[in-house]
Amino acid sequence: MKIVRVFLSVVLFTFASLAFSESLSALKLFERGVQKQNIEDYYGASEDFQQALQANKSYGDAWFHLSQVTYAIGDYTLALSYLEEADKYAKNRTDIQNLKGMILIALGRLDDARKVFTEILKKYPNDIDSRFGLAELDLFTGSFIGAKNQYEDALKRQGNNRKALLSLALISSELGNQDTARKYIEQALRYHSGESEVHYLAAYLEAKRGNFGEAEKRTRAAVQINPEYTKAYVLLCSILYAQKKYDDVIDMCDYLISKKRNTTEAWYLKGLAQNRKGDWKSCVETWNMALSINPYDEVMRSGLELIIMKKLPVEDERRVTWADFHVQKAREYTKSYFGEKARYEYQRALKINPFDDAARSEFAQLLGNTGLNENYLNQLKFIKQNQEKLSDESDETAKLSSEQKKVNDTIEAYESLMKYSLAAKWNVDPFYLDKTRWHIGLYYTKSPVQLLHCDAEEIAAGMCADIFSGIASTSVALENRAVSGYGEAYRLARKNNLDYFVILNIDETEREITLGATVYSARTGTETTKFSSFRTGNDKFSSVLRAFRRDLLAMLPVRGKILQRSVNDILVDLGTVEGMKKDVVLDVIKAGKITTSDKGLGVTYEEKNHLGTIKINRSGEEISQGTLEQNGFYDRVNVGDEVLVKFRPDEKTEEDAQIADNSPAAGENGKRILPEDEKQKKLDAREMGLVKTPAIIELIRGLKN
């Protein structure tokens, strides 16, 4: 019996030792995770917390900190599930409930979040974190004053609270109260001078005011306190870039890259500085290397493409690789039946590498599938010209390849079908028509500092202009430098005799992007309209570019001119791609007498210049034929007179499927008359349930308590 008792004692001691060992192991892993969390190594911290939980599944603090770092990474649903586990093992903790409220805000469940914070304050009126949560809710709803009041209430309860002071400084700056912002920053520096984050935000606010010397001083202080503070180094590079200290930028970026190769911001800024120095070749190499590390930095890729299309010869072999990125995306979109996205990606690919016959053939097929046979044939002819050019340059005299034969046979078959087309009847080549009707100026202002992509405004403006380069109806002129504001843009637009001018702005966070545009009449300077496109997730930059094009085209009236006339049979340069079909009625206006409205959308003309109407009876892709009904006794309608859409039947027809996404879509009053792609309607952020996170929230959310 004594032996049995000794044996049981040994077993119990062994189990107790193992449990103690596991507990000690979990504690060490937890402490190591907290250390990584404190230096913002969230992925490393997450690994340590998960290992701690493998050793002790009931470790409430480990669940809580795992939720915190997962929230910081941006995986909010997973963070909430971890927090629910934490709540099982650590009951009645306000820090857990406050984090729950913040996660609910990030998930867009604002009412649920407000309920959580309100319940905490009922029990604990002095809980500062709950007031921070309510302040963030106010920011989401656009109530900066409400948020300011919440932070001030928190400050009354804890006069030196760092997060309250820094948040008030940021909000005051956003409201334009720079003196107040400086007061709060000075308080934060007085109480927390040894913390790098305080110097970092002080530098950011000084840079926003254009005080780059003071901003540089503050960022250098931040990195001296915390040499691992990557965000501060990046901000320092941006500030040096703003001061045109390009060599210093390059040196600092090289240092960052040597420490952490995948610091995309450093690669981006290094390339910018090289380009500003005039060394665009090194910029291309730098950005090409960066995109091999992070191929989904769309702003950097766009900047690279703008340079290569302007500087590199079309024969440069590297264009094949750069174009292939877009070809692969186009193929994915085609499989998912996203026609507009696929067309955009094929067009990007073919601009970069015009001689990619495979991509052009796929693009042509995409056009053919929507019934645009004439456009399909035109693309095939381009492929044939490429192939003939290559054959002429080659020493080989071999027979045509099977692919060349296939192209030739297809061209022959389609040309046979076109023998009885409208273009053949009137002896017109639609693809050589000058259909430009709208002249638009594109301008941008430049913010003193950007936390993610310096010169994002310039790149966005360049891409907005580029996306219009293949649209026959519009001529978009980009001012290749930032303007001081509305006054300079108006002066330039009026001087260049434009119809409209657009001032762009861009707001970017790590997860979201918003491209805003205000459109003005270049004749009167009055505001015509404004629109803003917000996107999150993958391909957000290209998505807002397409949305900008779609919105701008949607406000432009469909406008054409008379090409030929045979008695009362009239040929106009509008086709099914511009929404023409049987029974569309066009107003005929004397050439040069259409003007943009003094205020708002649409166009105007004097009644005396209204010469008659045309009722369409037959349409091709680029041209249409109709019957004229003149105004008055005298026939005053001539070739070259202009036409506007007066009436378009609502009934859906086969021609509706051929309407291009690169055509104006409005009637005379500027209101949309052409049907809209149903898939594009679903891209509206509000309808998709997406909540836009103001950029200031990203800064405040990252502050430590």
Side-chain angles (χ1 to χ4, degrees):
M1 191 70 181
K2 184 177 180 181
I3 295 172
V4 172
R5 281 199 301 270
V6 170
F7 175 75
L8 287 173
S9 298
V10 170
V11 170
L12 289 171
F13 176 78
T14 303
F15 276 114
S17 299
L18 287 170
F20 177 76
S21 176
E22 286 182 0
S23 176
L24 187 62
S25 174
L27 178 61
K28 286 183 178 179
L29 288 164
F30 172 77
E31 289 174 345
R32 190 171 71 184
V34 170
Q35 288 175 354
K36 291 179 181 178
Q37 183 181 359
N38 288 337
I39 61 170
E40 299 184 7
D41 179 9
Y42 298 125
Y43 292 99
S46 175
E47 182 182 8
D48 287 334
F49 294 141
Q50 291 189 57
Q51 287 181 356
L53 288 165
Q54 287 177 1
N56 181 3
K57 290 185 178 180
S58 59
Y59 200 159
D61 268 340
W63 282 113
F64 175 64
H65 281 266
L66 179 58
S67 179
Q68 282 184 318
V69 297
T70 308
Y71 168 75
I73 290 167
D75 196 341
Y76 304 124
T77 303
L78 185 59
L80 187 60
S81 70
Y82 290 149
L83 198 64
E84 289 169 353
E85 292 296 322
D87 197 35
K88 288 181 185 177
Y89 304 109
K91 296 286 186 181
N92 301 318
R93 277 176 48 174
T94 56
D95 55 352
I96 290 177
Q97 292 306 307
N98 277 314
L99 180 56
K100 179 180 180 181
M102 300 303 287
I103 294 171
L104 290 172
I105 291 176
L107 289 170
R109 294 166 57 182
L110 304 187
D111 291 339
D112 292 339
R114 189 174 294 277
K115 185 178 178 181
V116 169
F117 296 130
T118 304
E119 288 297 320
I120 294 172
L121 287 172
K122 283 180 182 178
K123 296 179 181 178
Y124 309 101
N126 292 322
D127 188 277
I128 290 175
D129 288 338
S130 296
R131 295 189 183 280
F132 290 160
L134 290 174
E136 190 164 312
L137 282 168
D138 285 333
L139 289 174
F140 258 106
T141 57
S143 177
F144 282 76
I145 300 300
K148 182 172 176 286
N149 291 337
Q150 292 288 353
Y151 287 121
E152 285 175 343
D153 284 346
L155 205 58
K156 288 174 186 175
R157 289 163 170 78
Q158 195 177 100
N160 63 349
N161 184 278
R162 181 180 64 167
K163 182 166 183 174
L165 289 168
L166 294 176
S167 299
L168 283 166
L170 289 167
I171 290 173
S172 298
S173 175
E174 200 75 15
L175 291 170
N177 302 327
Q178 302 304 334
D179 290 340
T180 306
R182 185 176 284 112
K183 181 191 78 172
Y184 284 121
I185 276 292
E186 287 173 353
Q187 283 183 257
L189 286 167
R190 185 161 62 249
Y191 291 124
H192 309 283
S193 60
E195 299 193 32
S196 58
E197 189 175 51
V198 177
H199 290 274
Y200 170 78
L201 282 176
Y204 169 69
L205 291 175
E206 290 294 348
K208 276 189 70 177
R209 288 191 285 267
N211 299 331
F212 296 118
E214 182 64 21
E216 182 181 343
K217 175 183 171 184
R218 290 296 173 195
T219 44
R220 290 191 183 279
V223 297
Q224 283 176 355
I225 294 168
N226 181 5
E228 303 300 319
Y229 199 175
T230 301
K231 286 198 300 186
Y233 279 111
V234 171
L235 179 59
L236 176 57
C237 289
S238 300
I239 291 166
L240 293 170
Y241 178 77
Q243 296 177 88
K244 300 182 180 180
K245 298 179 179 179
Y246 302 131
D247 289 329
D248 290 346
V249 173
I250 293 168
D251 290 342
M252 185 68 70
C253 289
D254 283 338
Y255 169 72
L256 279 173
I257 292 166
S258 68
K259 288 184 66 177
K260 192 175 181 182
R261 187 171 173 75
N262 64 347
T263 307
T264 306
E265 300 93 333
W267 289 99
Y268 174 75
L269 282 161
K270 180 181 177 180
L272 272 185
Q274 290 169 329
N275 193 39
R276 288 297 183 201
K277 287 183 66 180
D279 188 4
W280 63 266
K281 291 182 179 178
S282 293
C283 173
V284 168
E285 291 176 4
T286 297
W287 282 353
N288 187 43
M289 176 63 70
L291 289 169
S292 69
I293 298 168
N294 178 13
Y296 301 106
D297 188 323
E298 291 185 277
V299 175
M300 180 158 52
R301 183 175 293 278
S302 296
L304 173 64
E305 290 175 3
L306 289 171
I307 291 175
I308 64 178
M309 285 189 288
K310 185 178 179 181
K311 300 286 190 180
L312 260 65
V314 292
E315 297 83 11
D316 193 298
E317 293 181 355
R318 291 172 295 177
R319 285 176 175 260
V320 175
T321 302
W322 294 322
D324 190 59
F325 176 84
H326 293 287
V327 173
Q328 297 305 321
K329 291 181 71 175
R331 287 169 179 165
E332 291 172 9
Y333 286 137
T334 301
K335 290 177 184 177
S336 302
Y337 302 102
F338 287 113
E340 188 209 30
K341 292 181 179 180
R343 286 189 294 274
Y344 170 81
E345 295 296 344
Y346 276 125
Q347 287 164 347
R348 294 298 312 156
L350 292 170
K351 281 187 177 183
I352 297 167
N353 183 21
F355 303 125
D356 187 342
D357 288 346
R360 190 172 294 279
S361 179
E362 292 169 17
F363 176 55
Q365 191 62 54
L366 196 64
L367 296 173
N369 291 342
T370 57
L372 297 174
N373 294 327
E374 293 176 23
N375 279 275
Y376 175 48
L377 177 59
N378 196 50
Q379 293 295 327
L380 291 181
K381 286 181 176 178
F382 191 93
I383 292 172
K384 182 180 179 181
Q385 289 174 358
N386 277 351
Q387 292 173 343
E388 288 174 348
K389 183 180 178 182
L390 289 172
S391 297
D392 291 341
E393 292 174 354
S394 173
D395 293 333
E396 297 179 6
T397 57
K399 295 181 180 180
L400 291 176
S401 68
S402 59
E403 188 60 36
Q404 287 175 312
K405 287 181 179 179
K406 182 180 177 182
V407 169
N408 290 345
D409 290 345
T410 306
I411 290 173
E412 185 177 342
Y414 272 82
E415 284 181 334
S416 178
L417 288 173
M418 299 301 171
K419 283 182 180 179
Y420 305 102
S421 68
L422 204 55
K425 175 185 174 181
W426 289 87
N427 193 27
V428 170
D429 190 336
F431 296 100
Y432 289 95
L433 297 174
D434 179 8
K435 303 181 80 170
T436 305
R437 299 293 176 269
W438 299 106
H439 295 83
I440 300 168
L442 206 55
Y443 306 94
Y444 64 94
T445 56
K446 190 173 180 181
S447 60
V449 65
Q450 289 274 12
L451 290 178
L452 288 181
H453 292 101
C454 290
D455 290 352
E457 306 94 339
E458 183 177 342
I459 292 174
M463 291 299 290
C464 284
D466 187 71
I467 201 174
F468 273 90
S469 62
I471 297 179
S473 58
T474 57
S475 172
V476 174
L478 171 66
E479 184 67 25
N480 288 314
R481 60 176 180 81
V483 296
S484 57
Y486 163 83
E488 186 181 4
Y490 179 29
R491 178 179 60 79
L492 291 168
R494 190 174 175 87
K495 177 184 175 183
N496 292 314
N497 199 29
L498 303 176
D499 296 304
Y500 296 103
F501 67 97
V502 184
I503 299 180
L504 293 169
N505 61 79
I506 190 167
D507 185 18
E508 185 186 16
T509 69
E510 289 185 4
R511 299 182 184 91
E512 301 173 352
I513 193 165
T514 302
L515 182 65
T518 306
V519 185
Y520 301 90
S521 166
R523 185 172 59 85
T524 64
T526 56
E527 182 179 312
T528 302
T529 187
K530 62 170 56 176
F531 38 81
S532 178
S533 301
F534 157 66
R535 295 290 184 269
T536 186
N538 298 326
D539 304 326
K540 53 185 177 291
F541 187 58
S542 58
S543 184
V544 295
L545 292 175
R546 292 194 302 272
F548 167 77
R549 181 176 68 180
R550 195 162 51 246
D551 288 339
L552 190 58
L553 288 171
M555 60 151 276
L556 296 176
V558 178
R559 183 176 173 184
K561 70 177 181 180
I562 295 175
L563 295 174
Q564 294 185 34
R565 178 177 178 181
S566 176
V567 192
N568 285 334
D569 287 338
I570 305 291
L571 185 72
V572 298
D573 64 350
L574 298 174
T576 56
V577 292
E578 288 101 358
M580 296 301 102
K581 62 181 179 179
K582 193 173 185 298
D583 295 333
V584 168
V585 178
L586 306 175
D587 278 325
V588 182
I589 315 300
K590 188 175 180 180
K593 299 301 179 180
I594 297 174
T595 60
T596 56
S597 297
D598 290 346
K599 292 182 179 179
L601 300 166
V603 294
T604 62
Y605 51 84
E606 295 182 18
E607 186 58 33
K608 67 180 182 180
N609 295 317
H610 182 233
L611 308 180
T613 59
I614 299 170
K615 190 173 185 179
I616 300 298
N617 52 47
R618 187 179 174 191
S619 297
E621 290 173 29
E622 302 288 342
I623 56 177
S624 295
Q625 173 187 292
T627 304
L628 172 66
E629 183 178 330
Q630 65 191 43
N631 268 1
F633 180 76
Y634 295 103
D635 184 354
R636 298 180 293 155
V637 176
N638 296 312
V639 170
D641 286 333
E642 296 190 79
V643 294
L644 296 164
V645 179
K646 180 178 183 179
F647 167 77
R648 187 179 187 277
D650 292 332
E651 295 81 10
K652 287 189 177 182
T653 62
E654 290 182 6
E655 289 93 339
D656 288 346
Q658 298 176 15
I659 294 173
D661 54 24
N662 57 2
S663 166
E668 296 178 17
N669 61 1
K671 301 291 179 65
R672 187 180 186 99
I673 58 168
L674 300 188
E676 191 173 7
D677 187 338
E678 291 297 323
K679 287 187 177 181
Q680 299 310 323
K681 287 182 181 179
K682 294 176 184 176
L683 285 176
D684 182 87
R686 286 168 296 183
E687 292 179 9
M688 294 172 68
L690 297 176
V691 180
K692 182 178 183 297
T693 306
I696 189 173
I697 290 183
E698 289 290 311
L699 286 170
I700 291 174
R701 185 178 282 169
L703 296 175
K704 298 171 185 174
N705 291 348

